[in-house]
Amino acid sequence: MTMQKKMLKTAAAACAAALAAVLLAGCGDEASKKTYSPVPFTKHDRCHLCGMVLAHYEGPKAQIIIKGAEDTPLMFCSGRDAFTYALQPENQRRLLAFFIHDLGKTSWETPADDALVLAASAMYVYGHGREGVMGDEPVAFTEKSRADAFIAKWGGQVYKYEEITLKRLD
């Protein structure tokens, strides 16, 4: 085989591989393209991580939707438990949606279902003096002024979603 034929064969193989990659990129998982919404909490919901009945405890709650269970959100008694679950490497790749109570829009004592926001869109106050059901709780806010008011009363520091890590929660 001549050098020219080898180069032509290699170029054709490279083009075929590139075309296959482009075509396969369009074959994404339908679940990851869908828009998800939180569902109302019920009095019987249990925390997916610790098993506690959510209605028995104050404080912000969370919901996570994962691949393979798109119709049944996982419920969490706290943002701390939800982040602990969501940040596990085996769960990160399955995460489709993560909702958490925005404490700038609801009360700590009885958080309202309509105050659930996408966790990635919120900022978090952490290291504060308000005791959550599972200890120090990353408290979500979508408005900086509300986060600042919480800090003025309870202390803590503002973190971006990406800055809430397993190491920080430990």
Side-chain angles (χ1 to χ4, degrees):
M1 190 180 284
T2 67
M3 179 63 99
Q4 190 175 21
K5 284 184 180 179
K6 284 183 182 177
M7 288 175 58
L8 188 56
K9 188 175 180 180
T10 301
C15 285
L19 179 60
V22 168
L23 292 174
L24 287 175
C27 296
D29 183 350
E30 287 302 313
S32 64
K33 295 176 185 173
K34 183 178 175 188
T35 301
Y36 296 94
S37 298
V39 300
F41 288 101
T42 71
K43 66 181 182 177
H44 301 293
D45 287 334
R46 291 184 171 272
C47 181
H48 183 74
L49 196 64
C50 69
M52 293 172 32
V53 177
L54 277 60
H56 293 177
Y57 302 94
E58 294 183 343
K61 314 288 188 273
Q63 299 179 16
I64 291 178
I65 300 171
I66 58 171
K67 290 179 187 172
E70 293 85 359
D71 296 330
T72 309
L74 306 177
M75 305 297 189
F76 294 89
C77 65
S78 66
R80 181 182 192 85
D81 273 9
F83 270 105
T84 299
Y85 179 86
L87 293 172
Q88 297 296 323
E90 65 274 15
N91 297 330
Q92 285 179 339
R93 65 180 171 266
R94 298 175 61 206
L95 195 71
L96 295 173
F98 179 176
F99 300 99
I100 192 164
H101 280 117
D102 177 347
L103 260 285
K105 296 179 179 176
T106 191
S107 73
W108 184 278
E109 293 75 20
T110 54
D113 292 336
D114 63 355
L116 286 162
V117 297
L118 283 169
S121 70
M123 66 195 83
Y124 295 84
V125 176
Y126 192 67
H128 52 80
R130 183 90 195 241
E131 188 74 13
V133 67
M134 296 311 248
D136 199 0
E137 172 80 19
V139 180
F141 295 91
T142 53
E143 295 177 28
K144 179 81 164 76
S145 61
R146 302 287 180 121
D148 290 341
F150 184 89
I151 290 170
K153 184 172 183 178
W154 297 100
Q157 183 176 340
V158 173
Y159 295 94
K160 293 185 239 174
Y161 174 79
E162 302 81 27
E163 295 175 312
I164 303 297
T165 62
L166 288 174
K167 185 175 181 177
R168 186 171 310 282
L169 294 173
D170 196 13

